[in-house]
Amino acid sequence: MLSGSFLNRTVYRDNSVELTLFNPSIADYLFSNFRREKDIFTKIIYLSKSTISLESLRKIKYSSLISDKLYNSILKEIINKISLDQEYQQNKHFSIKALGEYCSRNPVDTAPPSLINLFINDIYINNIDMTALNDSIYLLRFLVSECLDKFDSFVWDKFFSIIFSKFLNHDELLTIAEFISEIEFSTEINTTSIKQFFEKAVIEYWSEEIHDDVNDNIEDCSFESLKDEVNKHIKSVLSEYNLELEELNEQLLGCVDLDDIYTSMVDRYSGIEHDFSSDSEKDSHHSLDEIDDLFERPNL
């Protein structure tokens, strides 16, 4: 009944169905009328069981469209409902994300203990939901910081070996780096082997990405200074993890084709193609001409 008037209904090839508002102004109207209604917000997000809805709520809060107090109240209601309805196992990622966001803003001991224990039990038996990895590590930061005694017999090396068996993206690496920093600061856990795992994961990710990242971000410079500029950029990338990773610089530098970077840079800033591979050796131009001659067609 609402489809075509208030809602768009889209059916995809996999038979999934998406409902969107026919007119975006409907959302503005609903939000302006209900943004102070904690119960309505809570029901909408809880019934969706969607991590996207939690992320949307967070963005609404950081846009100052709802107050801190209301945001905290909604999160508390959501995790209480998850605990009461025993929803953790059925909707694990949603539960972990909601719990992590709540614990990032409130003392861990104000969250439902049963929910905390279910998550910790999963960690103990290495039942890690890899789709929820980022949110799991984020939640762990606060649990380790505030209730380390719950992890007295935990084997951290085994836990991280499982995590690092997965190809990790930049966001996941950032979250893990923050967690490593947290346990170094607030615990006596030996992180030597954990950091070795981390370094390998950084190399695995950035060896594939660093060339394009440099190409997208490098500023106009001479070929002579290019290597230094690339080095600076790599240092800047590694510094985001806030761990001592300077020794990885040289490895990542080897993954960058300086000639290709310079060609792209010249094209981008001047629109003029330039053979930089040997600016001081003019003879190289002759060899390129000779190669071109091989493909020249005679006039018929």
Side-chain angles (χ1 to χ4, degrees):
M1 184 181 295
L2 295 177
S3 181
S5 54
F6 290 101
L7 299 174
N8 294 318
R9 184 174 183 269
T10 306
V11 181
Y12 295 98
R13 289 183 179 179
D14 62 357
N15 291 323
S16 62
V17 178
E18 180 183 40
L19 294 175
T20 55
L21 291 171
F22 183 77
N23 188 332
S25 62
I26 298 173
D28 296 336
Y29 170 78
L30 292 172
F31 186 75
S32 64
N33 279 274
F34 298 112
R35 67 177 184 172
R36 293 181 179 84
E37 299 291 335
K38 181 188 72 173
D39 291 343
I40 291 176
F41 257 124
T42 303
K43 284 179 182 177
I44 290 171
I45 294 168
Y46 181 70
L47 291 173
S48 77
K49 304 291 194 300
S50 164
T51 57
I52 295 173
S53 64
L54 287 170
E55 187 62 28
S56 297
L57 178 66
R58 189 184 67 83
K59 289 176 180 177
I60 288 171
K61 185 268 165 209
Y62 284 106
S63 298
S64 300
L65 295 173
I66 60 174
S67 67
D68 279 358
K69 183 178 179 180
L70 178 57
Y71 184 60
N72 276 342
S73 296
I74 294 169
L75 288 173
K76 184 65 183 290
E77 285 293 313
I78 289 171
I79 61 174
N80 283 343
K81 282 180 174 291
I82 291 170
S83 178
L84 185 65
D85 297 344
Q86 299 181 344
E87 280 286 328
Y88 177 82
Q89 297 296 346
Q90 287 72 33
N91 295 284
K92 196 170 289 188
H93 193 177
F94 176 77
S95 303
I96 291 169
K97 190 174 185 68
L99 190 57
E101 187 62 21
Y102 177 81
C103 291
S104 72
R105 307 173 58 82
N106 301 277
V108 170
D109 61 10
T110 62
S114 60
L115 206 53
I116 296 289
N117 290 335
L118 282 169
F119 174 74
I120 291 177
N121 183 61
D122 267 351
I123 298 299
Y124 258 97
I125 63 175
N126 295 310
N127 184 24
I128 304 163
D129 182 354
M130 287 301 183
T131 62
L133 177 61
N134 219 29
D135 293 308
S136 296
I137 298 294
Y138 185 68
L139 173 56
L140 260 180
R141 281 178 57 198
F142 306 106
L143 299 186
V144 168
S145 176
E146 295 187 40
C147 46
L148 183 61
D149 57 302
K150 291 181 179 289
F151 298 90
D152 283 345
S153 59
F154 191 66
V155 183
W156 288 103
D157 284 359
K158 184 176 181 181
F159 170 73
F160 276 103
S161 69
I162 293 171
I163 287 177
F164 287 118
S165 66
K166 172 185 181 290
F167 181 82
L168 300 167
N169 62 38
H170 181 50
D171 287 340
E172 290 169 335
L173 288 169
L174 282 172
T175 304
I176 293 170
E178 290 172 355
F179 180 60
I180 293 172
S181 296
E182 179 65 41
I183 60 179
E184 283 185 326
F185 175 76
S186 59
T187 77
E188 296 181 359
I189 296 170
N190 189 325
T191 61
T192 302
S193 60
I194 296 171
K195 290 175 79 170
Q196 288 172 348
F197 280 129
F198 184 80
E199 288 174 5
K200 289 179 182 177
V202 168
I203 289 295
E204 184 179 13
Y205 174 77
W206 281 109
S207 61
E208 298 291 330
E209 300 290 334
I210 194 64
H211 178 88
D212 289 341
D213 193 68
V214 167
N215 196 40
D216 291 341
N217 292 283
I218 200 74
E219 297 292 334
D220 191 15
C221 64
S222 68
F223 184 69
E224 290 74 17
S225 63
L226 179 61
K227 185 175 180 179
D228 287 340
E229 293 301 316
V230 171
N231 250 323
K232 287 179 186 176
H233 181 75
I234 293 174
K235 285 181 181 178
S236 174
V237 166
L238 294 176
S239 69
E240 290 185 50
Y241 300 118
N242 203 27
L243 297 171
E244 296 176 1
L245 301 173
E246 291 80 6
E247 67 275 10
L248 304 185
N249 262 56
E250 200 63 33
Q251 283 180 262
L252 292 182
L253 182 62
C255 299
V256 178
D257 184 338
L258 296 178
D259 288 357
D260 183 66
I261 294 293
Y262 191 68
T263 297
S264 297
M265 185 176 64
V266 170
D267 290 347
R268 184 164 62 246
Y269 285 100
S270 68
I272 301 172
E273 291 190 7
H274 177 69
D275 173 37
F276 58 87
S277 57
S278 179
D279 283 351
S280 60
E281 298 177 17
K282 300 301 180 182
D283 289 342
S284 63
H285 292 290
H286 297 300
S287 61
L288 289 173
D289 290 339
E290 289 167 1
I291 293 172
D292 287 340
D293 289 343
L294 290 174
F295 299 95
E296 187 174 345
R297 296 181 64 187
N299 293 323
L300 299 176

